[in-house]
Amino acid sequence: MSIVGFKCARAARRHDRQKFVSFKDCIACAETTANECHFTAPIIKAMVDREEEEREGITVTQLSGCLRESYLRYKYDHYADLEQLYFAFRGELAHLIIERYQERDAIAEQRFYREYNGIKISGKPDIILPDKKLVRDYKTAKEVPRFSYPYRNHSQQLNLYAWLVPYEINRLQVIYLDMKGVKICDATLWGKSEIEALLNEKLPVLDAAFNHGVVPPADFDNWQCNGWCNVKSICRKLYEEELLSKLNAG
Ligand code: SF4
């Protein structure tokens, strides 16, 4: 990972959002207990730990999001928005509790690996219940979906997990949690051809990026573009350069 620190989240001084601090300085500031933002040192430490987890190969999460974001996050040192990371951290909190009270035979938070066309892929589903042939993923949300099926990127992620794990899987569920309640949404299980079509489309793009530095194309329709991308400024700058070079070439 290439997150090297945070954008300062001092609530009292919004212009300080452009002030960048290292992990160490951010934690030290919170440890004084005189920090002006609302993050405590243990919360920040947990977010740093989560970001520093070692991952080998291309991950299911990278494949399920904006491919350009996956690559730019890895390639460029950048400062993350604490409030954005907190959203992911909140999900982790739910995972910790859920893992603790899991069914006896559940496989929780284990990383699996599989190769496709010589490219290694890894992923860590929240819960597998092998006897029930079921994979479950827990997602925290502002509001649980009004419909009964998961968001498209979550369905895609679950189907990649089903393909990845060495168990027979025939059911996929996303469990959405918000402040008011819980909702289980069943995802449609894809066939082999759909999974392979997805891998054939996305894997070579990420492989070329990670191994040969070919930047994936911008995908501005992606949900991450709507306020959830920590490399937006790097992406926009590269995009301008790409447009310029196209203009010059044409
Ligand atoms: S700004 Fe949008 S297109 Fe660019 S990397 Fe981020 S999510 Fe992807």
Side-chain angles (χ1 to χ4, degrees):
M1 68 115 201
S2 312
I3 296 181
V4 291
F6 295 121
K7 292 174 194 163
C8 180
R10 279 191 215 187
R13 292 157 60 181
R14 300 303 286 182
H15 61 271
D16 269 348
R17 298 292 294 275
Q18 290 315 310
K19 181 179 155 192
F20 301 117
V21 284
S22 67
F23 290 143
K24 204 168 142 230
D25 289 347
C26 185
I27 292 167
C29 174
E31 277 174 343
T32 64
T33 68
N35 52 316
E36 289 175 44
C37 77
H38 295 284
F39 291 95
T40 64
I43 294 177
I44 298 169
K45 281 181 192 168
M47 286 196 272
V48 171
D49 261 11
R50 184 182 177 280
E51 285 303 312
E52 284 182 340
E53 185 204 345
E54 290 289 332
R55 300 165 179 104
E56 207 187 324
I58 289 172
T59 68
V60 166
T61 310
Q62 287 170 333
L63 280 170
S64 306
C66 170
L67 301 183
R68 187 168 168 105
E69 194 263 357
S70 297
Y71 172 64
L72 296 182
R73 257 174 81 101
Y74 152 85
K75 169 82 179 161
Y76 291 90
D77 286 351
H78 60 279
Y79 291 83
D81 190 316
L82 265 172
E83 279 157 21
Q84 277 182 20
L85 281 191
Y86 178 71
F87 190 74
F89 166 75
R90 204 179 69 181
E92 286 292 309
L93 278 182
H95 288 162
L96 282 176
I97 309 239
I98 284 150
E99 201 180 330
R100 185 164 164 194
Y101 296 106
Q102 230 4 275
E103 286 94 333
R104 183 175 304 189
D105 298 324
I107 297 165
E109 301 262 338
Q110 192 174 318
R111 189 165 286 279
F112 293 92
Y113 296 89
R114 186 168 171 181
E115 276 197 15
Y116 184 78
N117 288 344
I119 303 170
K120 197 179 208 176
I121 301 162
S122 84
K124 194 164 74 167
D126 288 345
I127 301 294
I128 308 168
L129 295 168
D131 287 354
K132 309 264 188 321
K133 300 182 178 171
L134 173 64
V135 174
R136 280 180 162 164
D137 227 35
Y138 286 82
K139 305 280 184 200
T140 51
K142 267 191 192 148
E143 202 182 341
V144 299
R146 283 160 204 254
F147 32 81
S148 58
Y149 49 88
Y151 294 110
R152 200 170 70 92
N153 57 312
H154 295 158
S155 286
Q156 184 174 293
Q157 192 178 359
L158 275 175
N159 272 286
L160 285 169
Y161 286 145
W163 169 85
L164 181 79
V165 301
Y167 301 99
E168 190 189 341
I169 300 296
N170 61 19
R171 287 169 69 208
L172 304 171
Q173 291 181 332
V174 182
I175 324 295
Y176 289 100
L177 314 164
D178 70 13
M179 296 311 279
K180 289 195 206 130
V182 182
K183 184 164 183 177
I184 298 180
C185 293
D186 286 283
T188 305
L189 190 74
W190 294 359
K192 187 169 173 256
S193 60
E194 282 165 290
I195 289 284
E196 286 184 354
L198 177 83
L199 292 173
N200 288 336
E201 178 198 332
K202 293 192 161 189
L203 255 190
V205 178
L206 273 189
D207 188 50
F210 289 132
N211 290 317
H212 305 289
V214 182
V215 181
D219 174 11
F220 296 129
D221 293 331
N222 197 290
W223 64 272
Q224 282 169 286
C225 253
N226 199 13
W228 298 103
C229 177
N230 272 308
V231 288
K232 195 165 191 155
S233 57
I234 301 170
C235 170
R236 297 286 161 147
K237 191 164 172 289
L238 281 174
Y239 187 67
E240 281 168 21
E241 287 168 17
E242 286 159 6
L243 283 183
L244 260 181
S245 87
K246 265 191 204 154
L247 277 175
N248 291 338

